[in-house]
Amino acid sequence: MSVDPAPSARAGGGAGASRARAARSVVLAGAVAAALCAAGCKKDEPQGAPPPPAPAARPAACAGGGGTIGDAASAPFFPRTTGGFCLDPNGAEKTFGESAPLPLDSICDMFDGECEIYKGFGVRRVVEARYVSGSGGTATVDVHLSKFGSTEGAYGMFTKRTVGDGDPADEATPRPIDGGGAAAMGVGNVYLWRGQYLAEITYNDEALAEAALKASSEKVLPGLVKEMGSKLPGEAALPPAAAALPPDNLIPLGIRYETKDVLGVDGAGPGAFGYYKEGDKRYRVVAVVRDDVDQAKDVLSTLSKLPGAAREKGIGDGAVRLMHKEGEGPATEWLFARADKTVYGVGDESRVLRSGMTSDEHAKLTLGKDEKAARLKKLVAR
């Protein structure tokens, strides 16, 4: 039953009529909006919101002793438990390359497009495995274990990761820790080398800030590295060229191994660079070890034929001096000489040089020609 409005209201006059019409409009608009929303409107969602975090491991994830590695070739290298973590019982490893279910090219996605670098060092096989926290936390430890065609290839990739194109004297460079043939620890990650193997181990926990993640990873990763390093096969000794570098004044982890021609010189062959610091002065030493004396003589002959190279007397059975330019930086001076089947070189550290330096600035940071010659004489006389 409805009540007929007063004449004044039907005529649209008066303040009461205006309020009545406004109220009816609000009610009607609300009803229309409710009907439209019932037909399919959604709650506003923030644009660009991060994806939900991965589910945390169950507190009892390691109660059964952890998971196992199904790949028979690599299973002996992975401990089931380590530092409160265990192999993920709910996730199997992935294996790529030789005698593996997945093709080697698939590592391109795993290594963020760097597969050509790994292939350049001769990678043959990669195993990816994960450890989860036994306490039910969100932390995980990812392991990528790569097998290379040679010890030199594996060690070369190790030095690519630890030194690469950077300066090992930089504070951000990983520090050496015990394990295998060589191991280095950064912030939440470790590199482990032994024989033909390189393990890259990463501690993950998005709930932690960098300082807390660093502290947590240092409680877990060194133990895993030590155990894996003891299980991996192969020699722990450095490749011959790296072992030939003098230890005095060598920066910790300051070795870069080149599996191709050193200094980019065709015919020079593979070799190792050592990075050195003596007071304020920085320099490098390179060692190239060939199969016999004649091959080592050929290396020195190749270097002597480079543009601007000159023979020097008084060092061994003859030395070669040359200038080498690396990228856009200034040219660096090098002296080379031979000892038996090893060719040594002593040169400037390009990382501390810049264009436009005065001679005094240059002399403060580098070895002079006579200083290089003195160090080279000691090397060839060893």
Side-chain angles (χ1 to χ4, degrees):
M1 177 179 178
S2 62
V3 179
D4 188 34
S8 60
R10 288 197 303 270
S18 295
R19 286 193 295 272
R21 286 197 303 273
R24 286 196 298 272
S25 297
V26 170
V27 172
L28 180 59
V32 171
L36 290 174
C37 195
C41 79
K42 299 179 180 178
K43 292 182 179 180
D44 290 339
E45 297 181 357
Q47 298 298 312
R58 294 180 291 109
C62 299
T68 58
I69 297 294
D71 177 54
S74 59
F77 313 145
F78 290 85
R80 289 188 70 188
T81 61
T82 179
F85 284 70
C86 65
L87 284 169
D88 189 352
N90 301 311
E93 78 281 357
K94 295 180 181 179
T95 312
F96 309 81
E98 292 179 351
S99 302
L102 297 172
L104 187 63
D105 283 343
S106 294
I107 67 172
C108 294
D109 297 328
M110 184 170 59
F111 288 130
D112 195 23
E114 291 188 318
C115 59
E116 295 305 320
I117 297 176
Y118 285 80
K119 289 179 180 179
F121 283 101
V123 69
R124 296 289 182 267
R125 201 169 194 270
V126 180
V127 179
E128 179 184 50
R130 170 169 288 183
Y131 288 84
V132 296
S133 173
S135 65
T138 57
T140 61
V141 176
D142 290 330
V143 180
H144 294 101
L145 179 64
S146 302
K147 182 180 181 181
F148 292 78
S150 67
T151 295
E152 289 77 9
Y155 183 70
M157 191 67 210
F158 172 79
T159 67
K160 173 71 175 177
R161 284 291 180 237
T162 54
V163 177
D165 297 325
D167 185 349
D170 193 291
E171 292 182 357
T173 301
R175 73 178 193 278
I177 62 172
D178 291 336
M185 185 161 191
V187 178
N189 67 319
V190 176
Y191 305 107
L192 164 66
W193 163 78
R194 180 169 183 164
Q196 293 177 251
Y197 290 88
L198 170 67
E200 298 172 76
I201 306 172
T202 306
Y203 186 96
N204 308 290
D205 193 340
E206 294 183 357
L208 299 181
E210 182 176 308
L213 185 142
K214 181 176 184 293
S216 295
S217 67
E218 289 182 349
K219 295 177 182 177
V220 177
L221 299 190
L224 176 58
V225 166
K226 222 169 186 180
E227 191 164 1
M228 287 192 72
S230 67
K231 294 175 181 292
L232 290 173
E235 293 293 328
L238 295 177
L245 294 170
D248 293 344
N249 301 315
L250 180 66
I251 295 172
L253 288 175
I255 299 177
R256 179 166 56 89
Y257 192 90
E258 296 285 351
T259 56
K260 298 179 180 178
D261 294 321
V262 297
L263 295 177
V265 177
D266 291 341
F273 286 92
Y275 294 72
Y276 293 81
K277 188 176 193 304
E278 190 174 341
D280 291 332
K281 292 180 180 288
R282 295 285 306 279
Y283 61 98
R284 294 189 198 180
V285 175
V286 65
V288 177
V289 179
R290 303 309 293 263
D291 292 335
D292 54 48
V293 172
D294 287 339
Q295 289 184 14
K297 288 180 178 180
D298 288 342
V299 172
L300 203 59
S301 176
T302 297
L303 294 171
S304 70
K305 296 174 183 176
L306 293 175
R311 287 281 188 175
E312 297 283 334
K313 297 179 180 179
I315 305 175
D317 60 357
V320 174
R321 176 186 178 274
L322 58 86
M323 300 299 292
H324 174 69
K325 189 168 175 59
E326 187 175 292
E328 298 299 321
T332 55
E333 180 187 59
W334 282 85
L335 286 177
F336 291 89
R338 181 186 61 81
D340 195 36
K341 60 181 182 180
T342 302
V343 173
Y344 288 102
V346 179
D348 298 326
E349 174 50 70
S350 61
R351 296 288 179 268
V352 300
L353 301 180
R354 69 178 190 280
S355 298
M357 293 179 74
T358 65
S359 57
D360 288 342
E361 289 173 329
H362 192 283
K364 183 179 179 181
L365 299 175
T366 63
L367 300 178
K369 179 183 172 183
D370 291 342
E371 292 175 302
K372 293 185 182 79
R375 284 159 181 75
L376 192 55
K377 286 178 182 179
K378 289 183 180 179
L379 290 172
V380 298
R382 290 199 304 173

